């Protein structure tokens, strides 16, 4: 309940103050939070050390502070969704290589949009919805109903349709077969059915959903990431589609475990690339790697 009250206060501030002032307040709040958030600081240190073992303590600390600040700005943007329109997109968002998404949609098999907890993935989905793409997003329900309803309302206010993760399989498969766009985050495994991979040379589990849906439907996976620029504008960057094997495209029944692993490895490399480019925009405040035995 306390978090819900904070979110509503944050939304009021974000909607009633100029964006630069709202960002400034968010950054100040994040600096205060950084002082007291022992667990988040420790977890973030462990994750950044795994990616950058060569960096000094001072460099890691700078990355942590920037990550806290960027996440605070992410929340400001999230709270302001009702103000977002095509004029905002034209002014603040640069979209690159959207031809990859359009080409995949034109193929008529639906699209699995792969992203990660990088930059502002929520804003990226809203931008696509405002531009008219038939957009659904799989989201983990929050354990508190008021918070869950608040987040879903923010997503849906501009046309993003939410699929609860506990109902994702059947609904997502149906939508993909109807040539809709279903978005999934590919950098955190909430189940016990993920694929073990070497991620920055350490073992972890990535969700198998994107690969499994591609193999079941023959649909392409289009990676897309909304990242923040130094001037607080955004770039929505799409990558070349990852295609299921030709045999699967002809008949989705022609699948096996090796193909699941192979596709997961392909998008793992793309996620690693973006984390390396934007380490202070990877909001992973939970232990990410499996403990080595």
């Amino acid at each position: 309940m306390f978090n819900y009250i904070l979110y509503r206060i944050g939304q009021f501030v974000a909607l009633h103050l100029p964006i630069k002032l709202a960002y400034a307040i968010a950054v100040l709040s994040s600096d205060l939070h950084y002082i007291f958030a022992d667990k988040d600081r420790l977890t973030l240190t462990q994750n950044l050390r795994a990616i950058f073992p060569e960096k000094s303590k001072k460099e890691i600390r700078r990355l942590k502070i920037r990550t806290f600040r960027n996440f605070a700005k992410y929340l400001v943007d999230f709270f302001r969704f009702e103000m977002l329109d095509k004029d905002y997109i034209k002014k603040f968002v640069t979209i690159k290589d959207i031809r990859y998404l359009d080409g995949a949609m034109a193929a008529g098999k639906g699209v699995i949009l792969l992203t990660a907890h990088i930059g502002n993935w929520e804003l990226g989905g809203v931008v696509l919805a405002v531009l008219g793409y038939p957009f659904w997003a799989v989201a983990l329900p929050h354990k508190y109903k008021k918070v869950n309803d608040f987040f879903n309302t923010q997503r849906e206010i501009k046309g993003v349709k939410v699929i609860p993760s506990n109902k994702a399989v059947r609904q997502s498969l149906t939508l993909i077969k109807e040539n809709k766009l279903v978005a999934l985050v590919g950098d955190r495994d909430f189940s016990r059915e993920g694929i073990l991979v070497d991620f920055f040379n350490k073992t972890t589990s990535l969700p198998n959903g994107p690969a499994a849906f591609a193999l079941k439907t023959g649909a392409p996976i289009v990676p897309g990431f909304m990242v923040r620029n130094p001037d607080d504008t955004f770039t929505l960057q799409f990558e070349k589609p990852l295609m299921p094997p030709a045999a699967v495209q002809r008949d989705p029944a022609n699948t096996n475990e090796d193909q699941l692993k192979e596709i997961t490895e392909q998008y793992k490399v793309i996620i690693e690339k973006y984390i390396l480019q934007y380490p202070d925009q990877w909001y992973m405040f939970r232990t990410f790697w499996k403990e080595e035995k």
Side-chain angles (χ1 to χ4, degrees):
M1 181 60 70
F2 181 65
N3 283 345
Y4 174 73
I5 294 172
L6 287 179
Y7 290 144
R8 297 302 303 220
I9 293 171
Q11 183 184 42
F12 180 86
V13 171
L15 290 174
H16 290 86
L17 293 179
I19 184 66
K20 290 185 178 180
L21 181 55
Y23 278 156
I25 293 172
V27 167
L28 176 61
S29 299
S30 76
D31 287 349
L32 292 173
H33 177 63
Y34 179 87
I35 296 171
F36 299 102
D38 295 343
K39 184 178 179 181
D40 286 348
R41 287 201 320 272
L42 176 61
T43 302
L44 201 55
T45 298
Q46 293 170 341
N47 290 341
L48 289 170
R49 277 255 167 260
I51 302 169
F52 302 110
E54 77 286 357
K55 288 190 180 296
S56 67
K57 288 183 179 180
K58 188 175 182 179
E59 289 173 314
I60 293 294
R61 183 175 181 274
R62 287 174 179 169
L63 280 177
K64 287 190 297 182
I65 292 173
R66 291 205 303 267
T67 302
F68 271 73
R69 290 176 174 178
N70 283 331
F71 184 70
K73 289 182 177 181
Y74 155 89
L75 288 174
V76 171
D77 299 321
F78 184 79
F79 295 148
R80 289 170 58 92
F81 277 176
E82 65 183 70
M83 302 175 70
L84 190 148
D85 55 20
K86 289 184 178 179
D87 288 338
Y88 172 92
I89 295 171
K90 184 176 181 181
K91 185 176 181 180
F92 291 101
V93 181
T94 299
I95 303 177
K96 293 186 177 181
D97 295 324
I98 201 169
R99 68 184 188 277
Y100 291 138
L101 179 60
D102 291 337
M105 291 293 295
K109 290 189 174 183
V111 172
I112 300 144
L113 180 60
L114 173 78
T115 191
H117 294 91
I118 296 171
N120 198 324
W121 62 98
E122 301 270 14
L123 180 60
V126 169
V127 165
L128 289 177
V130 169
L131 293 177
Y133 288 85
F135 194 92
W136 275 258
V138 175
L140 182 73
H142 198 280
K143 62 181 178 179
Y144 296 112
K145 186 178 186 302
K146 276 194 172 183
V147 175
N148 190 64
D149 291 346
F150 172 75
F151 271 72
N152 285 345
T153 297
Q154 286 299 104
R155 293 161 177 149
E156 293 170 351
I157 197 169
K158 288 297 179 178
V160 173
K161 301 171 186 67
V162 178
I163 306 171
S165 58
N166 55 1
K167 299 179 180 178
V169 175
R170 180 178 297 180
Q171 193 171 348
S172 295
L173 289 174
T174 299
L175 290 167
I176 292 168
K177 290 175 181 178
E178 293 175 352
N179 198 32
K180 302 298 193 301
L181 197 164
V182 175
L184 299 163
V185 289
D187 62 341
R188 187 175 170 202
D189 180 23
F190 293 100
S191 72
R192 297 181 180 179
E193 301 176 358
I195 303 296
L196 291 178
V197 297
D198 285 334
F199 200 80
F200 290 104
N201 300 313
K202 296 188 70 173
T203 301
T204 194
S205 176
L206 293 185
N208 64 8
F213 288 150
L215 291 173
K216 285 182 180 293
T217 63
I221 298 173
V222 178
F225 301 86
M226 175 75 101
V227 295
R228 183 181 298 277
N229 300 318
D231 61 355
D232 287 325
T233 61
F234 296 90
T235 298
L236 178 55
Q237 176 70 59
F238 292 97
E239 299 283 338
K240 186 176 180 181
L242 306 177
M243 304 301 298
V248 174
Q249 295 179 52
R250 292 191 298 270
D251 182 2
N254 297 320
T255 64
N256 57 57
E257 288 296 317
D258 289 341
Q259 293 168 340
L260 194 68
K261 173 79 169 178
E262 179 183 350
I263 295 175
T264 305
E265 289 281 354
Q266 289 177 24
Y267 60 72
K268 176 210 77 169
V269 172
I270 295 171
I271 293 172
E272 284 180 325
K273 181 182 79 170
Y274 276 85
I275 291 173
L276 281 175
Q277 286 181 304
Y278 307 98
D280 56 356
Q281 295 188 46
W282 188 42
Y283 308 127
M284 191 56 61
F285 296 100
R286 297 175 183 268
T287 301
F288 186 74
W289 279 268
K290 301 290 183 181
E291 291 184 7
E292 297 183 1
K293 298 181 180 179

